[in-house]
Amino acid sequence: MNTSLSWIKAYVPELNCTAKEYTDAMTLSGTKVEGYKAFDQYLEKIVVGRINTIEKHPNADKLVVCQVQIDEDGREIQIVTGAPNIKEGDKIPVVLEGGRVAGSHHDGMVEGGLKIKKGKLRGVESFGMMCSIEELGSDREMYPDAPEDGIYILSDNPEYKDAPLGKDAVEVLGLHDVNFEYEITSNRVDCFGVLGIAREAAATFGKKFIPPVVTDTGNSEKVEDYIRVDVQEPALCTRYTARVVKNIKLAPSPEWMQRRLASVGIRSINNIVDITNYVMEEYSQPMHAYDLDTIADQKIIVRKAEKGETFTTLDGQERTLDDTMLMICDGEKPIGLAGIMGGENSMITDSVTTMLFEAATFDSTNIRLTGKKLGMRTDAQAKFEKGLDPNTAMEAMNRACQLIEELGAGEVVGGAIDYYPVKKEPVVIPYDADKINALLGTDISEEDMIRYFEAIDLTVDREKKLVVVPTWRQDLERLVDLAEEVARFYGYDKIPMTLPESSATTGGLSEKMLMENRVRNAVEAYGFCEGMTFSFESPKVYDKLNLEADDILRKSIVISNPLGEDYSVMRTSAIGGMLTSLATNYNHRNKNVRLYELANVYFPKQLPLTELPDERVQLTLGMYGEGDFYDLKGVIEELFGKLGFSETAEYTPDAGKTFLHPGRQAKVSYQGTEVAYFGEVHPEVRKNYAVGERVYLAVIDLEKLFVLPKKTVKYIDVPKFPAIVRDISLMMKKDLLAGQIEAVIRKKGGKLVEGYELFDVYEGEQIKSGYKSLAYKIIFRAKDRTLTDEEVSGTMDKMIAALEEMGASLRK
């Protein structure tokens, strides 16, 4: 949203401040000013002058020597110029010696401006410079009568021809002005119009706000004789107003209107189009004009489009519609895309004689979705999307008709069509000065609060202590909203710092959050650093991971509006992101990298989606450098212990993962539930990610892990009785796993086995091919007595017998 200071002053005439003061005060009171540009920046010592004589330059064919009068006393200066469009008697802007101009249309704006010094041009002295409109820091958008290449002739414009010589030319041209750019929050729809900004400025500076006085317009005819309106979608069009103007006289708009429109970036077209744009910027109420002669059956129908219906908009583009889009139609055809753009078939042309004016209120969500589907974005659409006040529509319509009559652009027909079945009523909010002060930590009097309310046009009932909020302030709904109004006009910088008053409350982390913190603590203790990658993934990752065609990880959710192909699906695994992070570290020559991520993954229950996917949290570990397969296994075992799992997990050598090394991977089960897998990354996959070292990964499904039963932590006394240690060396086939041996030790040892430790693994010449030797230290202890040799030997015999049954024998 942009406004010029002069436009604001049109409604707050007593406003007197610098651009910096305006910026600071408005921002502090809640209307944030992003920045500003002074139109007179770098313009110094520029006056109105008149060319008295023009003589040919003695040494240059394209230069002339001018005697220019620069004040009413007759003082002249000599200026040499090559401008082709000047003649004797012309009044022109002249920058005197030592003055500055902004630049030129060739050079653009010059930082600090161009300082004008006396000099010689081909041997003839020149003591100043005549200015083009670009050298005055403006352009032909602001001053359409300015020549495309040449000096700006003031006397050619009736508005400036009587300007006295020597007067400040910048003032004459209205360039002592500033353009402000605002950041308006979407809940302040009223501030998307100049009147809303002016009202805020008046309240901020304590000045009187004087809105335009809208007078009655219209002849003795009835608008119903010209047009009828049928709104078939009242939920999408809450108000529709229309008036008719006949005997249209198209012409350029007056300069003041062109100037104000140009200051907010709108190019002048003609008086009719300019009036619709002017009222839109003034009231934040978009309007549209149709050629009434092109409207079939003298009827307007507001309906939804038919699916597949085509419509050509004003920009000449044919658009295919669907049955959710709201259209403005006549008795035969669509003539406008509601709230966005009119149709080419009803546009205002130079031959228009009778015109239909439209000002309506459309559903903001429908307008936004329609524009998004069609890939359109217009100024009107941007305002409708915010949710306009329907009570402003008729006021804006009457203002436009008033401007029609004032500018002599046509004859307004009497009366108006006004479809408004459910009127929007003002909100009434009780106020309590004590509660507001308690909320803000201030001591502001009730009278001051009422003064703040009335400054922004809120009506106050002092007896009942009620505030009546006008419908254009849609952001005010309850007491805290009123407190915010008090705070911003009292001054946020004046509110003292106070401690919040509150009572003690119980709070804490959920069980899931506590478990996740334990996970973090456990893996970070082993040197892992937390990373974070996108939940969006590229489908190319599936091939980089060598996944089978039917792998469940390939069944991912496709995003309907992705940022690009590399972010087009929801990830089913964080492995791709982890390997990318490890590769980045490797390519930056970081050594011994260990990363982990608590990553959300998304598994669709079915495709295409009919319900929300299964969203799960997985712990992904990745490392290279120091450490190997068994180090990663140790981290997993430690993690299980920290999470309170009493039983030993089971490890099966083949996890069935194509992206892991076929001989160096394992899946992890706990109480029969598969909860994790880990291993070394397959060399081909590692090569796909350009990592030159062995990489190890682990993926732990925390959702499964967290629901499994955990042990209760109990205190155990320091042992009172001695332990007995026995060593055992076993011979077995290589395919017999240590985990299977340890399961027998635990089962047959029962409560007498306090612990065990694998201390030797041997394969060599003294053992036959295909076999291996495992040696264990087993610790026996009883809590209530000293164990005897017979008890320990009996238990050992049971173990050995069970081990022999599974193919493990004592090594001799």
Side-chain angles (χ1 to χ4, degrees), residues 110-178:
V110 178
E111 186 67 29
L114 291 174
K115 189 168 185 178
I116 304 304
K117 302 177 182 178
K118 71 175 180 179
K120 289 185 178 181
L121 277 74
R122 303 293 292 271
V124 177
E125 287 188 314
S126 182
F127 297 91
M129 186 178 80
M130 291 178 275
C131 301
S132 67
I133 200 65
E134 289 82 8
E135 286 161 338
L136 293 172
S138 192
D139 53 38
R140 298 181 70 233
E141 291 289 330
M142 290 279 284
Y143 297 87
D145 61 322
E148 188 171 350
D149 190 8
I151 304 302
Y152 185 66
I153 310 299
L154 295 170
S155 49
D156 285 351
N157 189 314
E159 189 175 347
Y160 311 130
K161 68 177 182 178
D162 296 326
L165 300 180
K167 187 174 178 60
D168 181 358
V170 178
E171 180 183 344
V172 169
L173 288 166
L175 287 172
H176 286 313
D177 201 357
V178 185

Side-chain angles (χ1 to χ4, degrees), residues 714-723 754 781-785:
K714 294 181 179 179
Y715 171 75
I716 299 175
D717 291 338
V718 176
K720 296 179 181 178
F721 301 96
E754 185 180 69
R781 192 194 307 264
K783 296 179 180 179
D784 55 352
R785 68 188 185 282

Side-chain angles (χ1 to χ4, degrees), residues 341-385:
M341 188 178 285
E344 194 176 50
N345 54 8
S346 62
M347 65 186 295
I348 298 294
T349 63
D350 292 344
S351 60
V352 65
T353 58
T354 309
M355 176 189 71
L356 175 70
F357 251 158
E358 164 196 282
T361 308
F362 302 113
D363 179 73
S364 58
T365 302
N366 182 266
I367 297 298
R368 180 180 62 82
L369 292 176
T370 298
K372 187 175 181 181
K373 290 175 184 177
L374 297 176
M376 299 180 70
R377 189 71 182 170
T378 64
D379 290 339
Q381 174 190 346
K383 294 185 186 295
F384 276 118
E385 286 178 356

Side-chain angles (χ1 to χ4, degrees), residues 333-566:
K333 61 188 180 298
I335 58 173
L337 195 56
I340 300 177
M341 188 178 285
E344 194 176 50
N345 54 8
S346 62
M347 65 186 295
I348 298 294
T349 63
D350 292 344
S351 60
V352 65
T353 58
T354 309
M355 176 189 71
L356 175 70
F357 251 158
E358 164 196 282
T361 308
F362 302 113
D363 179 73
S364 58
T365 302
N366 182 266
I367 297 298
R368 180 180 62 82
L369 292 176
T370 298
K372 187 175 181 181
K373 290 175 184 177
L374 297 176
M376 299 180 70
R377 189 71 182 170
T378 64
D379 290 339
Q381 174 190 346
K383 294 185 186 295
F384 276 118
E385 286 178 356
K386 305 298 186 295
L388 300 183
D389 173 24
N391 290 331
T392 305
M394 184 54 77
E395 187 177 352
M397 171 66 75
N398 292 336
R399 171 66 166 159
C401 290
Q402 177 190 29
L403 291 171
I404 288 282
E405 291 191 349
E406 287 181 359
L407 302 185
E411 181 184 351
V412 179
V413 172
I417 301 290
D418 187 9
Y419 170 84
Y420 195 14
V422 182
K423 185 177 180 181
K424 185 175 182 179
E425 298 295 340
V427 174
V428 179
I429 306 174
Y431 75 89
D432 185 320
D434 292 336
K435 286 185 178 179
I436 292 175
N437 277 321
L439 185 64
L440 299 178
T442 55
D443 186 19
I444 304 171
S445 70
E446 184 173 336
E447 279 302 314
D448 284 342
M449 292 184 187
I450 292 172
R451 182 165 52 85
Y452 299 146
F453 296 149
E454 291 177 342
I456 51 175
D457 289 350
L458 308 185
T459 305
V460 180
D461 186 330
R462 295 168 185 258
E463 291 184 5
K464 296 180 180 179
K465 294 190 180 299
L466 298 175
V467 172
V468 180
V469 180
T471 52
W472 41 262
R473 281 303 301 272
Q474 302 178 35
D475 60 309
L476 301 183
E477 298 177 345
R478 52 186 68 86
L479 181 68
V480 290
D481 298 327
L482 295 180
E484 182 183 9
E485 299 303 293
V486 171
R488 66 193 187 95
F489 289 115
Y490 174 72
Y492 290 115
D493 56 331
K494 298 178 185 176
I495 297 177
M497 289 186 292
T498 56
L499 292 173
E501 295 181 4
S502 62
S503 55
T505 57
T506 3
L509 299 178
S510 66
E511 180 64 24
K512 181 181 178 183
M513 294 172 72
L514 288 170
M515 294 290 283
E516 289 180 354
N517 284 343
R518 289 178 196 165
V519 169
R520 287 188 175 93
N521 292 335
V523 296
E524 286 174 4
Y526 277 86
F528 286 83
C529 296
E530 186 170 13
M532 185 175 292
T533 57
F534 288 117
S535 295
F536 307 143
E537 189 65 277
S538 168
K540 297 175 185 176
V541 168
Y542 303 145
D543 295 329
K544 291 179 73 174
L545 293 176
N546 289 351
L547 296 181
E548 300 288 349
D550 59 347
D551 196 301
I552 190 173
L553 296 182
R554 285 186 178 268
K555 296 176 181 178
S556 51
I557 302 164
V558 178
I559 299 170
S560 58
N561 57 337
L563 298 173
E565 185 183 1
D566 289 343

Side-chain angles (χ1 to χ4, degrees), residues 728-747:
I728 183 172
S729 181
L730 301 169
M731 179 92 67
M732 67 202 74
K733 290 184 178 180
K734 287 185 178 180
D735 59 359
L736 192 59
L737 304 178
Q740 295 172 281
I741 300 296
E742 291 165 4
V744 171
I745 293 173
R746 290 193 302 272
K747 183 177 180 181

